Each structure stands twice: as structure tokens, then as C-alpha cells.
Amino acid sequence: MLQLPLPSFQPNLDSRELHSLITADSANANSQVTELLATSSVWLSAKQKLDLQWLVQVSPFIARVVQRYGEAALRRMFAPMAAEPIDIQEKLCDASNEAQAMAVIRQFRHIEMARIAALDLLGSLPMGRMLQENSLLADMLIMAAAQYAEQQLAGRFGRALDCEGNPQPLIILAMGKLGGSELNFSSDIDLIFAYPEPGQTKGGRQNTDVAIYFNRYAQMLIKLLDQPTVDGRAFRIDMRLRPFGQSGPLVTSLAALEDYYHEQGRMWERYALIKARVLNTSAELEQQVQQLLRPFIYRRYLDYSAIDALRKMKLLINQEARRKGVADNIKLGLGGIREVEFVAQVFQLIRGGREHEFQTRSLLAALTACLRHETLSEEAIVALIDGYTLLRKVEHILQEINDEQTQQLPSDELTKMRVLAAAGFPQSESGWQAFTAATHKAMQGVHQEFLDVIGGEQDMLASEDSEYTILWQDLLADETALEVLSEAGAEQPDACWQAIQEFRLLLRKRPSGPRGRELQAILLPTLIELALAKPNAHLTLARSFEVLAQISSRTTYLELLCQNADARTQLVFLCGASPWIAHLIAKFPLLLDELIDPTQLYQLPDVESYRSRVADYLMRLPNDDAEAQMDALRQVKQIFQLKVAAADLNEGVHLMRVSDHLTYLAEAMIEHVVTLAWRQLCERHGAPPGRDESDTGFAVVAYGKLGGYELGYGSDLDLVFLCDDDVSGETDGLKPIEVQQFYLRLAQRVLHLFTTRTMSGVLYDVDMRLRPSGQAGLLVVRIGTYQEYLQTDAWTWEQQALVRARMVFGATHLFERFAAVRRNILCKHRALPELRADILKMRAKMRDHLWQQVAGKSDIKQMPGGIADIEFITQFLVLAYGHQAGDLAVWTDNTRILETAAQLQLISRAQTQALINAFQRYRAEIHRLALAEAGRLSEHDFGADQQAVLAVWQQLLEST
């Protein structure tokens, strides 16, 4: 197997001369070490003493260890052999509590790491042995901490047993450089914890499930190694490589581990698991774990998809490196250590399933396999190994100076001089230039080999990947993400990052399949980029993610959004503009089809054409499939509502026309629902005598917003059902029923078709409380009975409601009959004092029960001078003066009634315009609040409009 050469950077120990910056900074430490050597019982040779005084000046870390631990540090400083596991185990046996155990572990670690640093800085430790000793020390401390934690938990929980009563170990998977036994000097340690199978603990005071036990076990192990104390920490433990990352369970069973990698595993996890090494179990269990992981890591075929995945991974690393300004980062920069590892790993993933020699954790073994199988030339491998060795040496020097995890070439003069002293260069500006030139030359050589294998960054950038792809990657540091979001102009980067993280976690827990995950990785960064360009980007992201959550496993919709930029743009625009639309699309993803063509999306049909358009949609379905017809009605309503809302948000339709479109759409739905109900009932019972679809003898009267052409988003329908006076006889079908019973069932069927919740939701909620006698009244009322009720029994408020009533379905003769009834009732002569008193009483009652008084908010509907007051004014004008001017009873909408009143000089033109302007502003705000799902309380001040309305109110209703 190939070997690492001796690093070319070695200290010049002949002179031991150090720069004045170094000697000044380390004068105190050097003095203390001199005193220690004078009094110490530890024998050191003259050369070793000189070496030590040089070391404590070059490495403040070594100086701190010697100062803190004295003779214990001196005994190990120049020891040729590494420590043995028994050494730390014996010391931990003497620890009486957890705090002492942590102190023992940290002292042992610091002393041994100081020894490794000393030998390496002096040039006495070959690179291969250096990496091996770092790794063995980490293994030793992890195992000792695990053994101590197990002993500490034994009294309470006993031991973890499987279903057959056999002991179960905590399986510790070492990842990354530790897994490959190539740990650098001051490195994090990446671990994954698992256990063999479910079971119970036995033998302690409290038996428990092994999952709970191993979670406590892992927590204690991490604490022993990672928790900062007065002695620092032993190692930083990084658990983010476990299934589901930081949000996943700390410990998982092997079965769950296998399921995760089979269902959810990402390409980067394949790269990570190449180096996975089991630390603390039997050979049999280690083999079981490796057999579990091997099919996920290595594919039986030549897997060239690994190259594309690695290109994207490296591009993201380069983006992050540039963002952090780490051009001089010898690990992540161009030509850094990571590129050497990537070159080896890409061939491992491509060929490892077919050529078992590539299934190795060792970088050198992988490069050896590349040489034997001629996937890389000998010259390329030499360049990679030479560059790798030099860069690892520089990495160790950087970290050995202060025991810091850094791969960045320093910018301060003091650290530069220490690096130069350790690397054997003159401690001067020219020396630094020579050192960096040699380092960059090695990186350039590595990067050229990387480009030859992987391809250039221009090739990577030639794809359609968003520059924000980095935000959708696992393991991205929070500070980097927040910096990216801030640079993108996000007003609340924390909230944006939280939304992205939460959604990424949600998707990780949902099975999406390989193609689904591939599409998500393409789609999400582009959507994030679009959302970040919007105001309140965090809200836009959250709403867009709500939609995507519903289609995350439906690759058809993901493909649609990936391939259609217009659809993506419209989705983000609409989600950012309106949570109501976002929720609508989330509930009914079929609406995404409407986003493909923006021209069609924002082009509304003529209001008179809704009946034919709905009919065209329903013609595609068989008449005998009632459920399909119900779903189709709901879907076409949602499609047209989306188009109206989209045009509204895009200022493509005037306020008055918004309500017109929603009103005519509802009327079309009513016609088709009644027709569908009629057909279903006639199929079973036949039709009433002399009746057919052109004259059913059944009518629908619209009240409220629908009657007044003021329907809004999400409005319910105030309806009253009427029928002709003649309800004698029976239907003419195979199962005849009385005609009166037929109309009752017809009304019930209509309500069923409207209000039943299907997969496509509810068509409309229907309110029938305005029928004669309210909820106690008949569901279907004969028109003669309806007329009689209005003439003799109706309250004033019912006559007010009649002002906005109009028939929206029925034969012509019923339309004419209803219009006559309505006109006769509205044009009755009424005594003004009694009428005013009734209206004022009703208005006061409504305000007492419905007015929401909140500081800084306006209840547009119920506040004094609000919409309700305008409606009551128009109703008063009709009821008070209809007997004098029948034209007041022609219209059902407030605007035209007010215009008619102005023509009749019941109010002035100025008053009329003020009322209409206020009414339109109020309705515009109500539409806005509906689309924003913000209730009916507005933050806007409508004081001027209120005063204008109240002036007319006082003139008409409160003046005597």
C-alpha cells in the first residue's frame, strides 16, 4: 500500500532562534518552565530541555499544559510510545464522581496531545504515525468514557438485554477522519450511536426500555468528553451525521438505522459512511453493522451518479468558503485537503460495489486501489499524496500552536512567526511569502487533479442550480445560513432559517423516493431564492412550504414546478401576497395546474359566461357519477376563485368586479347544483306533474351578500327555497312520492350537494335562517305562503333583508311572481317614526352583540359609520320612500340604490358619493383582510369615512 512521505516542512533546530514577537509573548511561560525544570525530579537530557523551552514558545498550548500539570506533563512529553488504554482506565477507577472523571479524562487528553504536538513540531513523528496516534488516543478516551458511563448507570438501570436475555452494547460508529484513523490534531469527533435491538434493562433499581437506557448512556458519554469544565473539554462531539441530524433521536436501533438509509439516505451520507468504523463491539456485531451499511454505500453497478453529486457538494463548499472569505483555508479552499478526499471517495462510490478493494476507510488504501485499477495515473496519485501530506502538516502546525480547530492561514504577525518557526522558514515577511507560495503550489497541484476527475467549477455552475442551494444542505452552520439570508436582504433571517430548517426536517421524515428527493433538491433552492426577493420573506417561505408539504411525495407536481419557471414564480407571488390563496392551493394542489400560464391565470372570463364554463367542465364527467360531479363542482369553483383572487392581487380587476365574478360564479354553481339534484331525484321518483328542467316549479332566492352582488372570498350563501303554489299530486316515476315531499327532498339534496365535505372540500356553506319563521320554518315555502308571511308576520328586520333579496334560480313566471311580491312589500307605506325606531333598535342590538372594540383597530362591519350603517341607510331609504318612488325597489345592491336615492333627491349627490366611496373603501379592505386571513379588524384609520356616513345617518335616522 502507498505510504505518506516525510513532510517537507521541518523546523530548524540548529539555531532555535525565535522572532522577538514570539519571545516577548512567551516570556512568562518560558520563565515558569525554566523554574519547573530547575526543581523537577523528572530527568530530561540537555537537548530535551532546550527542545522544551523552544516548544513552549512556539506552542502556547504546550506551555499551558506544562504550567498546569507540571511533572505529570514532563514525564510524558518526550515518551516515544503512546499511552495504553489501561492507563486511562486505571485513572478513571479512582474517580469518585462524574466531575472527577471529567477532570481525569481532560488531564489525560491534554498531556497526551501535548506529547503528540511536541514530537510532531520537533519533526520526530512521521505523518502516518501522527494520524494514527491522534486516532488511537480518541478511541481510547471514547472507550474509557463509555465504560465509565456504563458502570455509573448499572446501579440504577442494570444492563441492557435483548429479547433472549443477552447483554447489548452501545454501538459507537466513528465517522469522518476518526473513522478512517486519520484524525487531525484538534478535530471534532463525528459519532453515530446505535443499539442492536429493542429490549429491557435488568439488574438495576429501575428496569426500563433499552431505547431510554441507551439515550441516557449516550448523553453521559457526550458529557464526559464534550462538556466544558475548568480543564476545558476532551473533544467536541458532533452528532449531526446521525439519521435526521440534530432533530433525530440520539440513539437508534440497527433496524431503524437500516430503514432510514434505505428510505431516506442522501448521497452525502453515502460519502460520510465510507469511513464509518465500529469502535466498541465484538467482531461479529461489527460485521453485522458493516453488512447493514454496505448496500447503501456501495452499489452493485458502476455508479457514475456519484460524480454529479460530488460536484454539487464541492460547489456548495466553494460557495461557503468564498462567503466566509477562506481562500487561504487549506481544508475547504480550492485544492484543499477535502478535494484529495473527494477524489478518492468518488472512485470508491463508483467502483466499490464491483471492486471490493475500494471498500476501505483509508485514504491511502483507496488511492492504492485507484493506482492498481488505473482509474488515476501514477503522476496524479503522487501529486495528490504529496499535496495531502504537506497540507496535513500545515494543518497540524496551525492547530498545535493553540489547540484550536482551524485550517485558516493566520493573518496576525505573531501566529505567522510561530508557523514559520515550526515549518522551518525564516521568520520574516519574505519567509511568509515563501511559505504561502509553497502551500499554494501544493493546493494548485491538488486542485488540478480534482478538476481532471470531477470537472471545473464552470461546469458545475453551468447547471441551473440556485446560488441559494447552500441553504438546503444538511449540516450548514447556522451562522453561515443567517449570513446568506442577510446578504439576500431577508428582513428576518432568523425566522427564514427556522422555516427552512423545519421544512427540511419535515421532508426528511416523509418518504419521497429517490426521484422525489432529487426534485426537491432542485426545486427548493429556486423557491427559496424567489421568496427571499419578497417582502416578509419568512411568511412567504412558510406559506410556500405549506403548499409543498402537500405535494412532497407527488412527483408529478414537483416535476411541474421544477420544469415551469412561470408556475414557480406565480406560486411564490401568490403565497407571499395571500395566506388565503396559499391555504387554498395547499388544500387542493390540482390548482397548481392553473399557474402554468400567467396569461390564462390573470385573464378572467366574462361574468355572464360562468354558467357555460361550469357546464363545459361538468360535461367531461358521466351524469350518473354523483360523487365525481360533486368533486367537479368544487374543483371548478376553486379554480375560478383562485383566478379571481390572483387577478385581484395583481390589480387586474376592479373591486366591484371582484364581487361580480364571485357572485356570478356562485349563481352558476346554484343552477348546476339544483339541476344535478333535480336529475338525481327524478331518476328515483320521477318529476312532479307538468314539470321538467325548464320549469321545475322550484326557486332559489339569494339574500345578503349574494343578493346584493357583494360576495367575498369564503362568503357563505344566504338562501331561501320557494316552490309554486300548486303542490298537489304525485311524481310520475317508478317510486312516486307526493309533490310537496318531492320539493322537500329536492331542497335537502341541494343542501347536501352544497355542504357535504368531499376530498375537494365544501362547495359553499349555506345559511337558511332568513326563510319565513327562521330555523323553525319549512325548508321549502310555497310562494303564496311566502308572500302572506311577508305581508302579515315579517319583522322590520326581515323586510330590511328583503331589500337585498333576488331570485337566482327558477322559471320565468316564478321570477316575475317573486319580483312582484318583493316590490309590493318594499313599496308599502310605513310610518316613519315607527320605522326609524325599529331600525335604530335593531342596529343598536347588532352593535351591542357584534361590534369588536379593540384599541388601534377598526371593525369595518360594525363600527359606527361602518358597512352595517351604510346598509341600514339604504334599507331605510327603500322602506321609507318606496311607496313614493318604486324605482328604489328595482335594485338589490347598495351602490345603485344610493344612486337612485340621489336621483330622487332623497339625499344629496355629495352625500351619495361619500357613502359610495366609503362603502367601496370598506369592501376593498374586507377583501384584503380576507386574502390575508386577518379577520375583520383593520389597522387602518377610516375616520373621515366614518364621519361622512354618520352625518347621513344622523340626518335620516336620528333627526326628528
Side-chain angles (χ1 to χ4, degrees):
M1 189 175 75
L2 297 171
Q3 300 295 320
L4 293 175
L6 288 174
S8 57
F9 291 172
Q10 297 293 340
N12 180 7
L13 297 177
D14 293 335
S15 68
R16 303 182 192 274
E17 183 179 348
L18 295 172
H19 194 279
S20 59
L21 286 174
I22 300 176
T23 56
D25 180 71
S26 58
N28 184 53
N30 194 30
S31 174
Q32 291 186 33
V33 169
T34 301
E35 292 180 9
L36 175 63
L37 290 174
T39 59
S40 173
S41 61
V42 177
W43 184 86
L44 295 178
S45 68
K47 180 180 181 303
Q48 287 174 334
K49 290 179 180 179
L50 291 174
D51 286 344
L52 182 61
Q53 289 181 316
W54 182 83
L55 286 167
V56 297
Q57 294 181 86
V58 171
S59 169
F61 164 65
I62 294 177
R64 289 195 301 272
V65 172
V66 173
Q67 288 172 299
R68 183 171 184 85
Y69 302 114
E71 291 191 348
L74 293 180
R75 290 190 189 94
R76 293 292 302 158
M77 189 62 63
F78 300 103
M81 301 301 294
E84 296 291 335
I86 190 66
D87 298 332
I88 181 61
Q89 292 169 4
E90 288 178 349
K91 292 178 184 296
L92 279 177
C93 287
D94 297 332
S96 59
N97 55 49
E98 197 174 80
Q100 288 187 12
M102 288 194 285
V104 166
I105 289 171
R106 282 149 182 74
Q107 177 177 342
F108 189 87
R109 182 265 179 196
H110 295 330
I111 289 175
E112 291 303 313
M113 291 300 287
R115 167 191 165 273
I116 293 172
L119 295 179
D120 184 56
L121 287 170
L122 292 171
S124 303
L125 205 58
M127 177 63 68
R129 184 180 163 193
M130 161 75 172
L131 299 176
Q132 185 179 42
E133 288 210 11
N134 284 335
S135 303
L136 288 174
L137 177 60
D139 287 358
M140 189 187 310
L141 290 174
I142 292 169
M143 296 291 291
Q147 184 177 355
Y148 179 85
E150 185 177 36
Q151 292 170 351
Q152 293 300 301
L153 293 173
R156 179 177 178 183
F157 297 112
R159 293 289 303 276
L161 305 178
D162 60 21
C163 57
E164 297 180 357
N166 300 315
Q168 294 197 70
L170 174 68
I171 299 170
I172 304 174
L173 270 174
M175 307 290 288
K177 290 185 172 64
L178 177 59
S181 297
E182 298 159 352
L183 197 66
N184 52 287
F185 181 79
S186 184
S187 177
D188 287 353
I189 289 178
D190 298 300
L191 300 178
I192 294 177
F193 296 134
Y195 58 90
E197 63 183 65
Q200 292 283 318
T201 62
K202 290 186 179 179
R205 300 186 302 274
Q206 177 186 346
N207 296 339
T208 189
D209 187 271
V210 295
I212 297 174
Y213 166 77
F214 281 123
N215 191 65
R216 297 280 184 87
Y217 188 163
Q219 287 174 337
M220 181 176 287
L221 172 55
I222 293 172
K223 181 180 180 182
L224 287 169
L225 296 172
D226 192 28
Q227 180 170 300
T229 69
V230 294
D231 296 294
R233 50 160 56 102
F235 293 102
R236 291 172 295 272
I237 306 297
D238 192 337
M239 298 297 300
R240 292 178 297 169
L241 295 182
R242 70 185 188 269
F244 300 112
Q246 290 174 307
S247 57
L250 191 60
V251 191
T252 187
S253 68
L254 287 181
L257 202 68
E258 183 175 23
D259 288 343
Y260 170 81
Y261 288 123
H262 177 71
E263 297 290 338
Q264 300 281 341
R266 268 50 173 178
M267 179 63 79
W268 69 263
E269 289 174 307
R270 291 179 61 196
Y271 277 96
L273 286 168
I274 286 175
K275 291 186 176 295
R277 176 168 61 94
V278 182
L279 294 186
N280 63 325
T281 62
S282 64
E284 180 182 355
L285 186 54
E286 180 180 359
Q287 185 178 9
Q288 179 184 343
V289 174
Q290 293 298 336
Q291 288 175 346
L292 180 153
L293 297 176
R294 191 173 292 117
F296 170 66
I297 305 171
Y298 302 106
R299 306 298 161 85
R300 295 180 180 179
Y301 49 86
L302 294 177
D303 185 11
Y304 289 101
S305 67
I307 293 182
D308 184 58
L310 187 139
R311 283 176 180 159
K312 292 183 177 180
M313 288 166 59
K314 179 56 182 171
L315 176 59
L316 294 172
I317 290 171
N318 291 352
Q319 288 177 346
E320 184 171 2
R322 282 194 299 269
R323 195 173 298 279
K324 291 181 175 179
V326 289
D328 286 336
N329 189 301
I330 60 170
K331 176 181 178 181
L332 302 180
L334 300 181
I337 296 168
R338 182 67 60 82
E339 289 192 357
V340 181
E341 296 167 340
F342 274 169
V343 169
Q345 289 172 338
V346 74
F347 286 114
Q348 288 184 267
L349 290 187
I350 291 172
R351 306 181 68 95
R354 299 274 294 271
E355 308 288 349
H356 287 191
E357 190 176 356
F358 284 94
Q359 295 183 18
T360 176
R361 292 184 289 268
S362 165
L363 173 69
L364 286 176
L367 291 175
T368 301
C370 290
L371 180 62
R372 289 178 181 170
H373 292 274
E374 298 182 346
T375 59
L376 287 172
S377 67
E378 183 175 357
E379 292 79 6
I381 290 175
V382 169
L384 289 170
I385 291 179
D386 286 349
Y388 178 78
T389 304
L390 185 143
L391 294 177
R392 289 306 297 266
K393 177 63 177 180
V394 174
E395 177 185 40
H396 291 156
I397 291 173
L398 294 174
Q399 296 178 352
E400 288 163 349
I401 289 173
N402 228 344
D403 192 20
E404 292 177 342
Q405 186 191 20
T406 179
Q407 288 90 15
Q408 187 76 19
L409 295 181
S411 57
D412 67 286
E413 290 300 315
L414 174 59
T415 308
K416 285 181 180 180
M417 295 305 109
R418 283 182 162 135
V419 169
L420 293 174
F425 282 78
Q427 298 163 49
S428 62
E429 181 60 31
S430 61
W432 181 251
Q433 291 176 359
F435 168 79
T436 55
T439 303
H440 289 148
K441 181 180 179 181
M443 295 177 72
Q444 288 167 4
V446 169
H447 189 56
Q448 185 57 56
E449 300 304 331
F450 176 83
L451 294 181
D452 290 345
V453 172
I454 306 301
E457 187 161 342
Q458 290 303 316
D459 295 335
M460 303 182 219
L461 290 171
S463 69
E464 296 182 0
D465 287 349
S466 164
E467 63 176 303
Y468 297 104
T469 301
I470 191 173
L471 293 172
W472 194 245
Q473 302 308 303
D474 295 318
L475 308 182
L476 180 65
D478 290 344
E479 58 271 18
T480 302
L482 294 176
E483 183 180 344
V484 173
L485 291 165
S486 297
E487 289 177 3
E491 296 174 0
Q492 298 188 37
D494 290 314
C496 291
W497 182 228
Q498 182 178 353
I500 293 169
Q501 287 181 301
E502 289 176 353
F503 186 58
R504 187 170 59 194
L505 172 61
L506 175 68
L507 292 188
R508 292 297 300 272
K509 294 184 176 180
R510 290 186 176 181
S512 303
R515 181 56 180 163
R517 290 195 295 272
E518 180 182 347
L519 291 169
Q520 290 167 12
I522 297 170
L523 173 62
L524 267 301
T526 62
L527 281 183
I528 291 171
E529 181 175 2
L530 289 169
L532 290 176
K534 303 294 180 186
N536 295 317
H538 62 294
L539 298 178
T540 303
L541 284 170
R543 295 168 193 164
S544 301
F545 291 159
E546 180 184 357
V547 174
L548 294 182
Q550 302 306 311
I551 62 170
S552 60
S553 59
R554 301 164 72 172
T555 55
T556 301
Y557 287 123
L558 294 176
E559 294 273 12
L560 182 154
L561 291 172
C562 281
Q563 296 175 9
N564 193 293
D566 285 336
R568 292 195 301 271
T569 301
Q570 297 311 315
L571 175 63
V572 173
F573 165 71
L574 293 173
C575 287
S578 168
W580 183 84
I581 291 182
H583 294 155
L584 183 69
I585 299 174
K587 288 179 183 176
F588 312 113
L590 63 90
L591 296 175
L592 289 169
D593 292 333
E594 304 302 316
L595 307 183
I596 296 175
D597 185 353
T599 304
Q600 292 295 320
L601 175 64
Y602 296 112
Q603 185 175 358
L604 295 179
D606 182 79
V607 293
E608 301 289 349
S609 70
Y610 277 112
R611 282 180 168 82
S612 61
R613 289 176 179 270
V614 174
D616 291 343
Y617 198 94
L618 294 177
M619 282 177 60
R620 309 169 192 170
L621 303 171
N623 289 331
D624 58 352
D625 192 340
E627 188 172 338
Q629 295 274 348
M630 290 172 68
D631 272 331
L633 284 168
R634 285 153 175 76
Q635 290 167 9
V636 73
K637 177 214 171 184
Q638 293 152 7
I639 289 171
F640 283 118
Q641 271 199 333
L642 173 66
K643 290 167 75 71
V644 173
D648 187 5
L649 289 170
N650 207 36
E651 299 181 354
V653 59
H654 187 269
L655 160 71
M656 303 294 288
R657 300 300 286 169
V658 169
S659 289
D660 285 348
H661 280 279
L662 296 175
T663 297
Y664 280 92
L665 174 60
E667 290 182 27
M669 291 295 163
I670 291 171
E671 178 178 309
H672 285 283
V673 165
V674 175
T675 301
L676 181 59
W678 172 270
R679 290 172 180 171
Q680 292 175 356
L681 220 57
C682 287
E683 184 179 353
R684 183 176 180 83
H685 300 294
R691 303 296 184 184
D692 57 28
E693 286 189 19
S694 65
D695 182 6
T696 63
F698 183 81
V700 179
V701 178
Y703 278 73
K705 293 178 181 177
L706 178 58
Y709 295 94
E710 297 163 8
L711 211 61
Y713 304 107
S715 293
D716 59 7
L717 305 182
D718 294 302
L719 301 180
V720 171
F721 297 143
L722 303 179
C723 67
D724 213 338
D725 285 329
D726 184 7
V727 291
S728 60
E730 293 184 336
T731 58
D732 60 5
L734 294 175
K735 295 181 179 181
I737 57 175
E738 292 182 353
V739 171
Q740 188 169 351
Q741 182 71 12
F742 177 90
Y743 284 125
L744 174 60
R745 291 192 180 180
L746 179 61
Q748 291 171 335
R749 188 65 186 166
V750 167
L751 290 176
H752 172 78
L753 292 173
F754 268 124
T755 61
T756 297
R757 186 173 297 279
T758 71
M759 292 292 290
S760 298
V762 171
L763 186 55
Y764 286 101
D765 288 318
V766 177
D767 191 338
M768 299 289 295
R769 290 176 296 174
L770 291 176
R771 68 185 186 270
S773 302
Q775 290 178 311
L778 297 173
L779 195 59
V780 184
V781 182
R782 287 182 291 178
I783 195 164
T785 305
Y786 176 74
Q787 179 180 3
E788 181 181 352
Y789 175 84
L790 291 174
Q791 288 173 339
T792 60
D793 297 325
W795 296 85
T796 300
W797 67 265
E798 290 176 293
Q799 295 174 14
Q800 288 178 250
L802 188 64
V803 171
R804 295 210 290 172
R806 62 189 178 89
M807 188 173 289
V808 293
F809 176 85
T812 302
H813 68 91
L814 287 175
F815 268 93
E816 293 172 351
R817 179 80 182 277
F818 172 79
V821 170
R822 176 179 177 274
R823 184 182 184 89
N824 290 335
I825 298 299
L826 296 181
C827 293
K828 280 196 328 181
H829 182 273
R830 294 172 176 82
L832 289 184
E834 288 81 359
L835 178 62
R836 283 193 179 98
D838 287 347
I839 289 179
L840 289 171
K841 181 179 179 181
M842 175 54 65
R843 184 69 190 99
K845 184 177 180 180
M846 286 178 61
R847 190 169 292 149
D848 289 343
H849 286 84
L850 302 176
W851 184 19
Q852 298 181 31
Q853 300 185 61
V854 178
K857 299 280 189 179
S858 299
D859 184 346
I860 299 170
K861 176 93 172 171
Q862 297 298 335
M863 67 184 180
I867 281 184
D869 282 358
I870 297 175
E871 292 172 345
F872 272 52
I873 287 171
T874 60
Q875 292 159 10
F876 171 78
L877 289 169
V878 173
L879 296 178
Y881 302 106
H883 68 287
Q884 297 175 359
D887 288 350
L888 286 169
V890 173
W891 309 112
T892 60
D893 61 287
N894 290 297
T895 299
R896 284 184 287 189
I897 292 173
L898 290 170
E899 289 173 344
T900 302
Q903 292 170 5
L904 296 170
Q905 297 183 354
L906 299 175
I907 54 176
S908 70
R909 289 284 180 183
Q911 289 175 319
T912 299
Q913 197 59 52
L915 290 174
I916 291 174
N917 290 344
F919 186 60
Q920 291 187 354
R921 276 191 282 269
Y922 290 153
R923 284 181 54 202
E925 182 65 3
I926 284 177
H927 281 316
R928 185 191 71 81
L929 292 173
L931 290 175
E933 293 187 340
R936 74 182 196 206
L937 297 181
S938 172
E939 70 277 11
H940 295 161
D941 179 17
F942 294 95
D945 290 321
Q946 287 179 264
Q947 292 304 314
V949 174
L950 288 173
V952 180
W953 177 274
Q954 290 165 0
Q955 174 185 318
L956 294 177
L957 289 159
E958 295 184 358
S959 62
T960 56

